[in-house]
Amino acid sequence: MQVEDARQRILSSAKAIFLEMGYKRTTIRQIVRHSGLMIGSIYHFFQNKEDIFQQLFSDIFDRCDELIRRRYGEDADPPLRLALMCATMLQAADLDENICELYGELLSLHGTAEQHTQHFADWLRTNLHESLAGQSDSEIFARALAITGVLRGMLANFCYRKRLPLSDSIRVMSESAFAILAIPPERAATVTIHLPGLQNDIISIARELIAP
């Protein structure tokens, strides 16, 4: 078996078990059993369960962007891609309460939250370099952290008795991200206006991301 195939089998198995059992109830042995690999294989690629969890969500993040670029083209407007990624995360959480729980765990664990925020900051630096020109790494990380905080709040609202409509959560999430990044209002409004008409695409991408 190729090295990358073994790594991917571990991540696919972890995804299935995390979705079924949740993060806290999942064990390394369960992931090993599901993958059909030896336990030593897992420790060749990952330090522990938290490391698997963080890498899985980094891969899901990248996969989400890949699916969006595939639908809208490699030259799709970066703010549109960002808004669609945020919308897809919220849509996935709405489709499956286990996803909502897993997102919450990701953003609550100090190690995974920091690494996820850094991964997001790297994406912002690469894809929104015009808007973030002249900003230091720490400034971009701070903006990524702020956007992640808004996402965490929106996910928490899924558990409230007075829950916001998903469409409102998506709109406010996008508006907040654009404000944090200082995207020009006219450019931000163009994206926000079009989001409701892209709902079927958002659902389709979300379903593909959470599929076993």
Side-chain angles (χ1 to χ4, degrees), residues 69-209:
R69 287 185 284 110
R70 185 181 299 173
R71 281 179 182 264
Y72 297 98
E74 292 293 331
D75 58 348
D77 191 35
L80 173 63
R81 286 164 55 199
L82 173 61
L84 286 169
M85 291 173 75
C86 291
T88 299
M89 292 175 191
L90 292 173
Q91 182 67 64
D94 184 67
L95 290 171
D96 189 330
E97 63 180 15
N98 289 334
I99 289 290
C100 188
E101 178 188 341
L102 290 174
Y103 274 140
E105 289 286 352
L106 176 76
L107 301 177
S108 296
L109 296 167
H110 295 310
T112 58
E114 181 178 355
Q115 291 180 60
H116 178 74
T117 303
Q118 184 61 62
H119 193 74
F120 182 33
D122 292 342
W123 185 92
L124 291 174
R125 183 186 301 103
T126 300
N127 293 282
L128 289 167
H129 50 83
E130 292 182 4
S131 300
L132 300 174
Q135 296 192 24
S136 66
D137 288 349
S138 62
E139 288 174 312
I140 296 173
F141 183 86
R143 294 183 189 277
L145 186 63
I147 295 172
T148 301
V150 176
L151 175 62
R152 184 175 180 179
M154 291 297 176
L155 292 171
N157 176 252
F158 280 29
C159 302
Y160 292 1
R161 286 181 296 175
K162 188 176 181 180
R163 178 176 167 178
L164 294 170
L166 179 61
S167 58
D168 287 353
S169 296
I170 289 174
R171 176 178 54 79
V172 173
M173 179 76 235
S174 299
E175 289 175 347
S176 300
F178 293 155
I180 291 167
L181 295 169
I183 301 295
E186 300 81 8
R187 190 178 184 187
T190 299
V191 173
T192 304
I193 289 170
H194 283 90
L195 275 181
L198 304 177
Q199 189 60 30
N200 287 339
D201 283 352
I202 293 169
I203 293 172
S204 178
I205 295 169
R207 290 190 185 281
E208 188 165 348
L209 280 181

